[in-house]
Amino acid sequence: MAFTDMEIAEAHEAARTTAAQSDDLYKLGLIYSTGQSGSVDLVQAHMWFNLAAVRGSDAAKECRREIADQLSKDEVATAQKRAREWLAKGVH
């Protein structure tokens, strides 16, 4: 699935607001896991899939698991830390 520059910008903007929905967070996971943000960043993708999963996205749960299988334990821990930091900012 390819996203336009506008869709990518909209997903990032939505993630900066309290209105961030699981669909927006899931979309960011897809963007980072496929390199549509410039390059593939599986740690960042895991973070966004994790946040979308917390908000109830079953698809994100599956993607998070698949990404985790490709990461080291340290990389998964980094992604989880980033997700906790995002939540701590109160952006939910």
Side-chain angles (χ1 to χ4, degrees):
M1 171 181 279
F3 296 101
T4 66
D5 289 342
M6 179 65 96
E7 289 173 314
I8 293 170
E10 288 171 352
H12 276 284
E13 185 59 32
R16 289 186 189 101
T17 71
T18 57
Q21 301 294 313
S22 64
D23 289 347
D24 297 316
L25 303 172
Y26 176 72
K27 186 182 293 185
L28 284 170
L30 291 174
I31 289 165
Y32 282 97
S33 67
T34 59
Q36 294 182 54
S37 62
S39 62
V40 172
D41 185 339
L42 295 181
V43 172
Q44 195 72 2
H46 187 284
M47 181 195 102
W48 291 118
F49 286 138
N50 193 23
L51 291 165
V54 167
R55 301 247 168 125
S57 171
D58 290 332
K61 290 175 187 176
E62 179 63 23
C63 291
R64 177 184 60 188
R65 186 193 59 74
E66 290 175 9
I67 295 289
D69 289 344
Q70 300 175 53
L71 298 174
S72 69
K73 289 181 183 182
D74 287 343
E75 289 170 321
V76 171
T78 297
Q80 291 172 337
K81 180 183 177 197
R82 289 180 187 174
R84 285 190 305 273
E85 289 170 348
W86 186 87
L87 287 169
K89 290 180 183 177
V91 186
H92 50 12

